[in-house]
Amino acid sequence: MPDLVVATTLEDGAVLRLLLNAPRGNILDIAMIQALDRVLERNGRAAGVKAILFEGTGDHFSYGASVEEHRPGKVAGMLTAFHGMFRRLASLDRTLVAVVRGQCLGGGMELACFCHRVFASPGARFGQPEITLGVFAPVASLILARRAGQGVADDVCLTGRVLTAQEALVARLIDEVADDPRQAADAWIAQHLAPKSAASLARAVKAVRLQWNTAFLRDLAHAEKIYLDDLMGTEDAKEGIEAFLARRPPAWKNR
């Protein structure tokens, strides 16, 4: 069985490239999340690492977290693993870069938009469709307003609509649209990060994200509580997940 995450060290150790390797959709299920976290724990704090680059194998970045693992018996474990990955990323003090092609949805969009710099192909698509399943996106709820403004966060999280790459660029959810987003990311890293001291960059990342990470880590536990203790007690949250898995329209009871 191939590795779910292919880790490659580039540029004499300056770039840690993490390839999500479960095509077609590179689903961020517990197994994938744990594989990412193991690599980050092992390699993320290496002294020479200046950037951690996330990319997806195949045509898509990621369809997002596993819908199956949103069921009541599994969702607590899934959220613990998924949010733990973001807590680790926040603690690494490394510049995070995302290279996005194709679909970048749900947890995949949360991972991309948590990065400092997002490069996307013209055909990339971004969305937080959780609300259409009767749930919501805790990480997106906390980070999108800081990245793109409250109005954009409200739009994306409350409607579940999917944005084109150009719409995401205008909304400031991403930073650049390029025919070859990997090449654009490499060029940006080479120009802006490679000449810098890895030690100095780490302290700069820590400082520039001090308020972001403090607020994120403070509020994530509260968002988890809303999700697990409140939302998952509603009939519609269960209905939305089961309807999606059964490929049928949900029958909302509004409770």
Side-chain angles (χ1 to χ4, degrees):
M1 180 177 177
D3 292 337
L4 291 173
V5 176
V6 177
T8 308
T9 303
L10 307 171
E11 305 299 328
D12 294 326
V15 180
L16 175 62
R17 180 192 183 214
L18 302 184
L19 189 66
L20 310 180
N21 190 38
R24 169 177 170 188
N26 298 317
I27 298 294
L28 290 163
D29 58 12
I30 291 176
M32 172 77 83
I33 295 163
Q34 289 176 337
L36 274 169
D37 197 56
R38 284 194 296 271
V39 174
L40 291 169
E41 181 181 23
R42 185 169 60 248
N43 304 109
R45 283 195 177 88
V49 172
K50 300 176 183 180
I52 299 174
L53 186 147
F54 296 92
E55 192 173 355
T57 299
D59 295 332
H60 303 288
F61 183 76
S62 175
Y63 288 176
S66 166
V67 177
E68 166 70 27
E69 291 176 355
H70 281 71
R71 281 174 157 162
K74 299 180 179 180
V75 66
M78 181 275 293
L79 278 187
T80 296
F82 188 59
H83 292 171
M85 178 182 67
F86 286 94
R87 290 182 170 103
R88 184 177 300 282
L89 287 172
S91 75
L92 290 178
D93 301 329
R94 296 295 185 270
T95 306
L96 308 177
V97 179
V99 170
V100 177
R101 300 178 189 86
Q103 302 295 315
C104 183
L105 305 174
M109 181 171 168
E110 289 175 308
L111 176 58
C113 286
F114 196 80
C115 292
H116 298 83
R117 198 82 178 172
V118 183
F119 297 85
S121 68
R125 296 294 181 266
F126 296 83
Q128 299 290 165
E130 288 87 347
I131 193 64
T132 65
L133 279 65
V135 294
F136 71 90
V139 172
S141 299
L142 301 179
I143 68 171
L144 292 190
R146 284 182 168 268
R147 183 175 184 92
Q150 189 63 53
V152 172
D154 291 346
D155 178 20
V156 172
C157 292
L158 301 182
T159 68
R161 73 184 184 94
V162 175
L163 282 67
T164 66
Q166 190 60 39
E167 288 173 326
L169 179 65
V170 171
R172 298 174 62 188
L173 288 164
I174 66 175
D175 301 288
E176 186 174 334
V177 177
D179 290 334
D180 188 337
R182 174 66 190 286
Q183 185 179 64
D186 288 346
W188 184 83
I189 291 170
Q191 179 179 354
H192 296 290
L193 301 185
K196 311 295 193 304
S197 156
S200 299
L201 273 174
R203 275 69 179 182
V205 170
K206 185 183 184 77
V208 80
R209 284 230 168 169
L210 190 60
Q211 289 186 336
W212 166 296
N213 286 336
T214 298
F216 175 72
L217 296 172
R218 179 195 67 216
D219 294 341
L220 188 57
H222 190 195
E224 287 175 352
K225 186 173 179 63
I226 294 172
Y227 197 106
L228 295 173
D229 297 349
D230 189 358
L231 175 72
M232 293 311 295
T234 67
E235 294 182 42
D236 283 351
K238 301 179 183 72
E239 167 61 14
I241 297 299
E242 295 304 322
F244 178 87
L245 292 172
R247 299 185 179 181
R248 61 171 174 81
W252 303 126
K253 295 183 179 178
N254 301 313
R255 61 178 186 266

